C-alpha cells in the first residue's frame, strides 16, 4: 500500500545514471549542462509503484556543498529508459504516464492511485494530504483528528462507472471529509467535501515531501560553474522588450496533438533509435532534431488545416543547434489543376498540404529528389493509403493526429486562456470535446474572458454544431408515408447500421451509399433525415451548388468538398446527404473550356467517397430529380450503388401526410373535427408531401385571417387555388355564372348517375381561378387497375355532360365554347380506345401507335354516341340538374358530400 513515501522499497541508482537524469531534468539541452559533477553530491533512488507496470518513482537528491543544506529532492516518473516526467506539482506528468501506460485501474489499484496523485500534485496553498491514521506520537490538539481519520474506503461506483472512495483530507490546516471519483483511465475528481476541523496542528498531519524546483537548482548550479562577472557601472535600463505575441490556438493544438502522436509512436524504429542518443526530455525537441538531422519523410494523418506549415514552424524553432533551412512549398503552375514543387540542392524542409500532392507536376521527380537530397518532408493527408505509391514507398514515419480528448482539451484551454479548467468541468461528460475546432477559442481569447465564461462559450460553440447535425427532433421512418420500395431500403439500412454499431457485423458489410431519385417535393431529404434519426447517427447536409459557391477557383471548390467529407468523418458513424448531386454533371457530357474543371470536381467527389474509412464509417446519400444526369462512376458498385426511386404519394399516403401536417398545425390553430383527410388525399392526388405542407400552411392562414377553426373548405380552397380575396378573381355577370353552373352541374350529375353513384365527386365550384378556369368538378382518384369498355363509355359521358347540360338549358344554338378542354380529353380517350386498347368497336384489335385519318370517322362516332347517351340521361333528370345548378349559383362551391346529400340516389 502506498500511504507515504516511506512505504516504498527504494533502490539506489548508479551515480552516472543519476547525473544524466539530473541533467535532463535541470537543463533544456545537453549543450547548457556542466561537463562534470565532481564537486556536487548527486544520489538517485527508484521505487516501484503499485499502479504502474513500467514507470517507477525517481528521487534525485543534490548536495551543492558539504557546508550547505541539501537541496529539496527532485521527483519524477521514469520508465528506466527514455521517458522521464518531472513531478512539479501539476497533474500533467501523471496523466502523461497514464496515457503511455494505457492505464486501466481496478478497484484494488484505485486507492493507491489516489495516494500517488496526492503525493505528486499540489494546490495553490500546498498539498492535499490524505489522513488515514492519527499522528505517530502524541500531539496536542489532535484528538478530534484522531477520531475522524480512517483509511481510504471504497464505496462502489457512480453512474459513470468511476470508483468512489471516502477519505479524510487535510488542506492547509483545515480537515474535510471528502469523496474521490476515479475513472479507470486515471481522471480523478473530488466530487464532495465537507469541512470538519480548522487550525489542526501541522505536527498532526501526514508529512509530504517538498517537490524540488529544477529551475532554482539550475540557477544554483550555473552560479557555481560560472564565476560572477566583476561589478560594472550601472548602465541605463534597457527599454522593455515588446511582449511576444501569443501563440495561435492552432499552433498550441498541433503541438499537443503532435506530442501525443509522437509518444504513441515512441517504439517506431527510427524514432526509438534517434531518441536513444538524445538527452533532451522534450518530445518536440527530439522530433525537431530528428527532422533537421535525419531528413525523414513524415506523413501526418489529419484533417486540420495548415498542419504541415505549423509543424514546419515547430521544427525550425526548436531545432538545436539552429540550422539554416530552406522551406519548399507547392506553387501554382498557372493551371488551377496543377502545382509545381522543386526541391533545392541545399538542406530543405518540404511542405506538402492536404491533397496538393495529387496535383504536383512530375510526382516521381519529387520523390526522387526527396530520396537523394538533404530534404525532410512534412506531408499532410486524411489517410496514409490515400498517398500515391511513390510517396508511400518513401515515407519514414507516419503520425496520426487524433481527435481532441479530455486531456488535450484541458492542456489547450490552460495554454490559450492562461488558467486551468475548473475541477469537475467534465462532470456532465466530455464526449463533445472531440468536435472542438481551434477557432472556437478565438473570441474568448480576444475578449479576455474569465476562464469559467470562456469554457461556457467554447462548449456552447461545439454544442450548437452538434445540434445542427442532430436528428432527434425530426420525423422517423414510421412517420413517413408514400415511400414505395424506398421504405424497405431504409428499413434494411437502419437494421444494418444498428448491427454494425453493436459489433454484430463489420462496417464493410454495410452499403456505402445510395441515390434517391424522385420528383421535387417527394421527401428525399426527409427520408434521409428519418434514416439518420432511426439509426441514432449524425446527419450532415451538402449540395453540389453549395460547393460551387465556396469560391472562384477549383482549389476552393475541391477544398469545400474535402471539408464536408472531413466533417462527416468527424461525426462518424454518420450520414452525409448530398442534394442536387446531378448538378455535378456527368463526365460523359462535358465539353468545352470548362470540361477539365468539371472533371476535376467529379473526380474529387469520387475520391472522397472511395476513401471513406470503415473505421470512421460515413454513409453517403445523394438526391436527384434525374438519375440519368448523374455520372455513371458515382453510381457504380461501392459508391452510390443503390438507386432508390421515390414515387409521388398515393391518395392513401396523401391522407396520412395531411394528418401529420394537420396535427402539427393543431398546436397553433384550432382544427374543425369534421375535417376529412381521406377526401383531401383524393383531391390532391398527383401532389407531393411538400405540396401538402404548403397547402396546410396556407389553409391555416385563411382560418387565422377570419379568426375561426381550420376547416375542410380552407384546405380545399388551397388545393384548388381559390383566390383569397373575392375581389382578386375574375368578375362574371349573373348570366355567365348561371351558364358555368349548368355546365358543372352536368358533369356532377353524370357522375351521380354513373356506377360510382357520385362517390367520385370531390368538389364542385363556379369560382374562377387564376389559371383561367371558370369552374370545375374535382374528381376523387379512380385507382382501379383495369377498366372495361363500359367504364370508358361512362367516362366519355362525364367528359361531354357539361356541353350536354348547356344544350338542355340554352338549346343547340346556345351552346358555348366552354367545353374545349372537355372535348380534348374525350377525343384523346376515344382515340386511345380505338388505337391501343382494342375497345373502339367490334373486332377492332389492331394496335397502333397513333390515330390515322381513316379512323377519324370512327372516333367521331364513338363521341357522338356517348354525347347522345348523356344528353338523354340528363333530359330524364332535368329537375335534378336544375336543382344542382341553382344551388351552385347560390353557394358557388359544394363538396362531394354536399352534392350527394342534395341529390340522393
Amino acid at each position: 500500500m502506498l500511504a507515504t513515501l516511506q512505504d516504498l522499497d527504494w533502490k539506489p541508482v548508479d551515480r552516472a545514471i543519476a547525473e544524466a537524469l539530473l541533467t535532463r531534468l535541470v537543463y533544456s539541452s545537453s549543450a547548457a549542462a556542466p561537463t562534470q559533477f565532481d564537486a556536487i553530491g548527486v544520489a538517485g533512488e527508484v521505487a516501484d509503484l503499485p499502479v504502474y507496470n513500467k514507470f517507477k518513482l525517481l528521487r534525485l537528491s543534490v548536495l551543492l556543498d558539504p557546508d550547505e543544506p541539501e537541496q529539496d529532492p527532485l521527483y519524477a516518473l521514469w520508465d528506466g529508459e527514455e521517458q522521464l516526467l518531472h513531478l512539479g506539482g501539476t497533474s500533467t506528468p501523471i496523466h502523461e504516464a497514464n496515457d503511455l501506460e494505457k492505464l486501466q485501474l481496478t478497484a484494488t489499484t484505485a486507492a493507491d492511485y489516489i495516494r500517488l496523485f496526492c503525493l505528486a500534485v499540489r494546490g495553490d496553498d500546498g498539498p492535499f494530504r490524505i489522513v488515514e491514521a492519527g499522528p505517530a506520537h502524541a500531539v496536542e490538539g489532535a484528538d478530534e483528528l484522531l477520531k475522524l481519520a480512517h483509511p481510504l474506503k471504497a464505496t462502489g461506483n457512480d453512474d459513470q462507472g468511476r470508483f468512489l472512495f471516502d477519505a479524510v483530507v487535510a488542506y492547509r490546516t483545515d480537515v474535510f471529509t471528502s469523496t474521490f471519483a476515479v475513472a479507470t483511465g486515471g481522471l480523478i475528481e473530488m466530487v464532495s467535501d465537507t469541512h470538519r476541523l480548522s487550525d489542526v496542528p501541522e505536527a498532526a498531519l501526514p508529512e509530504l515531501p517538498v517537490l524540488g524546483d529544477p529551475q532554482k537548482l539550475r540557477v544554483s548550479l550555473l552560479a557555481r560553474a560560472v564565476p560572477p562577472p566583476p561589478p560594472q557601472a550601472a548602465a541605463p535600463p534597457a527599454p522593455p522588450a515588446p511582449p511576444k505575441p501569443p501563440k495561435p490556438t492552432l499552433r498550441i493544438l498541433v503541438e499537443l496533438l503532435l506530442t501525443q502522436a509522437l509518444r504513441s509512436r515512441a517504439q517506431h524504429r527510427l524514432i526509438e533509435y534517434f531518441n536513444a542518443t538524445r538527452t533532451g526530455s522534450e518530445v518536440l525537441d527530439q522530433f525537431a532534431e530528428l527532422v533537421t538531422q535525419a531528413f525523414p519523410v513524415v506523413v501526418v494523418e489529419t484533417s486540420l488545416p495548415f498542419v504541415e506549415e505549423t509543424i514546419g514552424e515547430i521544427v525550425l524553432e526548436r531545432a538545436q543547434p539552429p540550422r539554416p533551412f530552406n522551406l519548399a512549398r507547392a506553387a501554382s503552375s498557372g493551371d488551377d489543376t496543377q502545382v509545381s514543387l522543386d526541391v533545392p540542392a541545399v538542406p530543405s524542409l518540404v511542405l506538402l498540404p492536404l491533397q496538393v500532392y495529387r496535383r504536383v507536376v512530375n510526382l516521381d521527380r519529387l520523390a526522387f529528389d526527396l530520396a537523394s537530397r538533404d530534404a525532410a518532408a512534412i506531408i499532410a493527408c486524411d489517410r496514409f493509403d490515400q498517398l500515391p505509391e511513390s510517396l508511400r514507398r518513401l515515407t519514414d514515419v507516419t503520425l496520426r493526429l487524433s481527435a481532441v480528448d479530455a486531456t488535450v482539451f484541458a492542456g489547450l484551454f490552460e495554454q490559450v486562456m492562461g488558467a486551468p479548467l475548473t475541477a469537475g468541468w467534465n462532470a456532465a461528460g466530455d464526449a463533445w470535446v472531440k468536435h472542438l475546432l481551434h477557432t472556437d477559442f478565438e473570441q474568448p481569447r480576444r475578449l479576455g474572458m474569465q476562464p469559467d465564461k470562456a469554457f461556457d462559450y467554447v462548449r456552447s460553440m461545439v454544442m450548437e454544431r452538434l445540434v445542427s447535425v442532430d436528428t432527434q427532433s425530426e420525423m422517423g421512418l414510421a412517420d413517413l408515408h408514400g415511400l414505395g420500395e424506398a421504405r424497405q431500403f431504409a428499413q434494411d439500412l437502419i437494421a444494418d447500421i444498428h448491427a454494425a454499431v453493436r459489433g454484430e457485423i463489420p462496417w464493410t458489410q454495410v452499403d456505402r451509399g445510395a441515390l434517391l431519385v424522385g420528383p421535387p417535393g417527394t421527401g428525399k431529404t426527409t427520408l434521409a433525415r428519418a434514416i439518420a434519426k432511426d439509426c441514432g447517427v449524425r446527419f450532415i447536409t451538402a449540395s453540389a451548388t453549395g460547393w460551387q459557391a465556396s469560391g472562384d477557383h477549383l482549389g476552393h471548390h475541391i477544398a469545400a468538398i474535402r471539408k464536408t467529407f472531413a466533417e462527416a468523418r468527424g461525426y462518424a458513424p454518420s450520414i452525409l446527404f448530398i442534394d442536387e448531386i446531378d448538378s455535378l454533371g456527368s463526365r460523359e457530357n462535358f465539353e468545352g473550356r470548362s470540361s477539365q474543371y468539371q472533371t476535376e470536381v467529379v473526380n474529387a467527389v469520387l475520391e472522397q467517397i472511395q476513401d471513406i474509412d470503415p473505421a470512421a464509417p460515413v454513409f453517403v446519400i445523394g438526391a436527384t430529380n434525374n438519375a440519368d444526369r448523374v455520372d455513371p462512376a458515382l453510381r457504380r458498385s461501392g459508391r452510390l450503388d443503390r438507386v432508390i426511386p421515390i414515387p409521388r404519394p398515393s391518395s392513401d399516403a396523401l391522407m396520412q401526410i395531411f394528418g401529420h401536417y394537420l396535427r402539427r398545425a393543431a398546436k397553433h390553430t384550432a382544427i374543425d373535427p369534421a375535417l376529412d383527410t381521406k377526401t383531401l388525399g383524393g383531391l390532391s392526388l398527383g401532389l407531393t408531401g411538400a405540396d401538402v405542407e404548403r397547402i396546410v400552411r396556407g389553409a391555416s392562414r385563411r382560418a387565422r385571417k377570419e379568426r375561426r377553426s381550420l376547416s375542410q373548405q380552407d384546405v380545399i380552397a388551397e388545393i384548388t387555388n381559390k383566390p383569397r380575396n373575392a375581389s382578386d378573381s375574375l368578375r362574371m355577370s349573373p348570366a355567365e355564372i348561371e351558364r358555368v353552373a349548368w355546365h358543372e352541374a352536368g358533369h356532377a350529375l353524370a357522375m351521380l348517375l354513373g356506377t360510382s353513384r357520385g362517390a367520385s365527386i370531390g368538389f364542385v365550384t363556379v369560382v374562377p381561378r387564376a389559371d383561367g378556369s371558370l369552374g370545375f368538378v374535382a374528381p376523387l382518384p379512380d385507382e382501379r387497375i383495369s377498366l372495361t369498355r363500359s367504364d370508358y363509355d361512362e367516362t366519355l359521358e362525364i367528359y361531354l355532360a357539361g356541353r350536354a347540360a348547356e344544350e338542355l338549358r340554352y338549346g343547340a344554338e346556345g351552346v358555348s365554347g366552354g367545353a374545349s378542354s372537355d372535348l380534348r380529353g374525350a377525343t384523346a380517350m376515344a382515340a386511345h380506345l380505338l388505337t391501343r386498347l382494342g375497345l373502339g368497336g367490334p373486332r377492332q384489335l389492331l394496335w397502333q401507335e397513333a390515330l390515322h385519318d381513316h379512323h377519324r370517322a370512327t372516333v367521331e362516332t364513338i363521341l357522338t354516341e356517348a354525347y347522345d347517351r348523356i344528353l338523354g340521361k340528363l333530359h330524364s333528370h332535368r329537375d335534378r340538374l336544375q336543382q344542382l345548378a341553382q344551388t351552385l349559383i347560390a353557394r358557388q362551391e359544394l363538396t362531394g358530400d354536399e352534392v350527394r346529400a342534395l341529390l340522393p340516389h
Side-chain angles (χ1 to χ4, degrees), residues 325-333 338-353 356-357 359-377:
F325 254 67
N326 181 76
L327 284 180
R329 296 181 175 88
S332 172
S333 62
Q338 293 184 325
V339 295
S340 60
L341 201 162
D342 297 321
V343 179
V346 297
S348 305
L349 180 58
V350 178
L351 305 177
L352 263 179
V356 168
Y357 48 80
R359 298 188 284 127
V360 172
V361 179
N362 200 345
L363 194 61
D364 289 336
R365 178 68 195 188
L366 171 63
F368 174 79
D369 288 344
L370 287 175
S372 60
R373 297 180 178 176
D374 286 346

Side-chain angles (χ1 to χ4, degrees), residues 10 43 57 76 131 146 262 326 329 378 401 409 427 508 513 527 619 639 648 652 654 695 707 739 752 775 895:
W10 293 96
L57 185 61
V131 184
L146 187 58
L262 287 166
N326 181 76
R329 296 181 175 88
I378 308 293
L401 301 192
F409 175 71
T508 53
L527 174 59
F619 187 85
R639 292 170 181 161
R648 292 183 181 274
D652 284 343
L654 286 166
I695 286 167
R707 300 182 182 277
R739 179 180 292 276
L752 279 166
T895 66

Side-chain angles (χ1 to χ4, degrees), residues 435 465-476 490 493-502 507 510-511 527-541 567-577 616-621:
H435 304 295
R465 281 198 296 277
L466 292 177
V467 168
S468 70
V469 297
D470 187 61
T471 56
Q472 293 313 300
S473 61
E474 303 287 341
M475 293 186 292
L493 175 61
I494 291 167
D496 285 350
I497 290 179
H498 277 304
V501 169
R502 292 192 299 265
W507 281 104
V510 181
D511 288 341
L527 174 59
R529 286 185 182 277
I531 294 172
K533 173 186 172 66
D534 288 352
C535 290
V537 300
R538 299 271 162 65
F539 184 76
I540 296 89
T541 59
E567 180 186 11
R569 286 192 294 271
Y571 290 120
S574 63
I575 287 178
L576 172 57
F577 178 74
V618 176
F619 187 85
V620 182
I621 298 179

